[in-house]
Amino acid sequence: MTVKQLRAFLAVAQTLSFTQACERLHLSQPALSLAIKGLEDALGGKLLLRSTRSVRLTPEGESLLPLAKHLLAQWDNTEERLRQRFTLQLGRLSVAAMPAFACNLLPRALVRFRQQYPKINVTVHDVINEDVNDMVRSRQVEMGIAFAPEGTGSLSFTPLFEDHFVAVVAKGSRLKQRTSLSWEDLLGEDFITLQRPSMVRRLLEQALSRQQMDLPVAFESHQLSTVGRMVAEGLGVSAVPSMCIPQMQALGAHYLPLTSPTIACRVGILTQQELSVAAHALRTVLLETVQAPYLPEHEAGQAG
């Protein structure tokens, strides 16, 4: 039983005329008759009784009529919904993003995406970097935004930008008057950072280890917002990727360029499977919208 056969049967059953059914379907009479015969052969019996003067339904044809209407309505609805998905008039998309990106850079990209595709619903999973990798790998989400993984395995990584760590100090700190800080300066203060297994923490420890430097931790937390508030209240200092600058400023902290060593980290899009049309559109918007956070040297002493 095919959709073409059901459409032929429905047209004849509703008009009780092969001639009118042919006009409705833009088919020749032989093609219409062949479709009806194919349907009857597939089901095993007569659905229509046809004479030179009239067409009427058999009892089996009567019972098929409401079912054919329902099946074809479902088919047409499915076809239309898929067409809307392919043309981005309808859809749903799930994305995982590490908090540093989700809080600071993703909203601007989503504004542009929403302006272009207002009918696409987006779910954002704001999870730690390691969970972003796991959610993409297990296909809980179509794409993730995270730091470059040490080994991609089955994942594909598309770079968005290279970020650099900046120092974060309290507005009342004596360090605020400096135009930049070295790690030696920063680590002379009580240091506040994220708890393991945070990728931010790991990047800091790995970079400092290469310089034969330790990371003495006075306070640690799971949330960047908590770290920022601790710094703002004068409990110590911290270092975060520069994409977190707006968040740190909103929490009341002050930032400075950080050197010796300069710690860089790549941020990008993680995918594993062929993307849906909606996911591909968001990927394009991210690549066009998201740029490397920029810290002008002449503004460093005025930041915060």
Side-chain angles (χ1 to χ4, degrees), residues 40-267:
E40 291 177 331
D41 289 345
L43 295 178
K46 286 287 184 181
L47 300 170
L48 299 166
L49 295 177
R50 182 182 182 186
S51 69
T52 56
R53 294 183 178 181
S54 66
V55 176
R56 59 190 176 88
L57 297 173
T58 66
E60 290 75 21
E62 293 281 3
S63 66
L64 176 60
L65 180 56
L67 297 175
K69 289 179 180 178
H70 176 73
L71 288 170
L72 290 172
Q74 291 287 84
W75 177 272
D76 291 340
N77 182 55
T78 299
E79 189 176 38
E80 178 59 24
R81 290 178 69 86
L82 284 172
R83 185 178 292 108
Q84 288 178 349
R85 285 181 178 271
F86 279 118
T87 57
L88 294 171
Q89 298 175 53
L90 178 72
R92 186 177 298 277
L93 173 62
S94 291
V95 180
M98 57 182 175
F101 188 91
C103 179
N104 296 286
L105 299 182
L106 183 58
R108 182 181 302 175
L110 289 179
V111 167
R112 181 170 177 180
F113 182 78
R114 189 68 170 180
Q115 290 170 343
Q116 294 182 24
Y117 312 108
K119 300 299 184 181
I120 305 297
N121 295 327
V122 182
T123 299
V124 178
H125 298 270
D126 182 352
V127 295
I128 63 173
N129 189 86
E130 291 69 24
D131 287 348
V132 173
N133 286 260
D134 292 340
M135 292 185 76
V136 175
R137 190 171 282 110
S138 63
R139 302 193 178 188
Q140 296 178 62
V141 297
E142 283 197 76
M143 68 168 64
I145 299 98
F147 292 119
E150 295 173 352
T152 57
S154 61
L155 301 182
S156 174
F157 180 79
T158 304
L160 284 172
F161 60 88
E162 182 172 83
D163 204 351
H164 295 82
F165 277 77
V166 295
V168 184
V169 302
K171 288 186 177 180
S173 170
R174 61 183 178 82
L175 298 175
K176 181 183 176 181
Q177 308 307 318
R178 305 281 291 275
T179 57
S180 65
L181 290 177
S182 68
W183 272 96
E184 186 176 355
D185 296 328
L186 197 65
L187 296 181
E189 307 289 322
D190 287 337
F191 198 84
I192 307 169
T193 189
L194 293 172
Q195 291 177 305
R196 298 188 182 95
S198 161
M199 190 63 176
V200 169
R201 172 78 170 265
R202 187 186 307 172
L203 288 169
L204 289 176
E205 290 179 332
Q206 290 175 347
L208 293 176
S209 177
R210 289 192 289 269
Q211 302 294 321
Q212 286 78 50
M213 301 173 72
D214 294 324
L215 184 68
V217 177
F219 298 95
E220 54 188 339
S221 170
H222 277 300
Q223 302 293 333
L224 275 169
S225 57
T226 304
V227 171
R229 283 300 301 158
M230 286 181 173
V231 171
E233 292 296 329
L235 283 173
V237 300
S238 188
V240 299
S242 66
M243 62 178 152
C244 300
I245 288 174
Q247 183 181 10
M248 295 296 108
Q249 289 179 312
L251 293 167
H254 177 87
Y255 71 91
L256 293 165
L258 188 55
T259 60
S260 306
T262 297
I263 301 178
C265 48
R266 288 193 304 160
V267 176

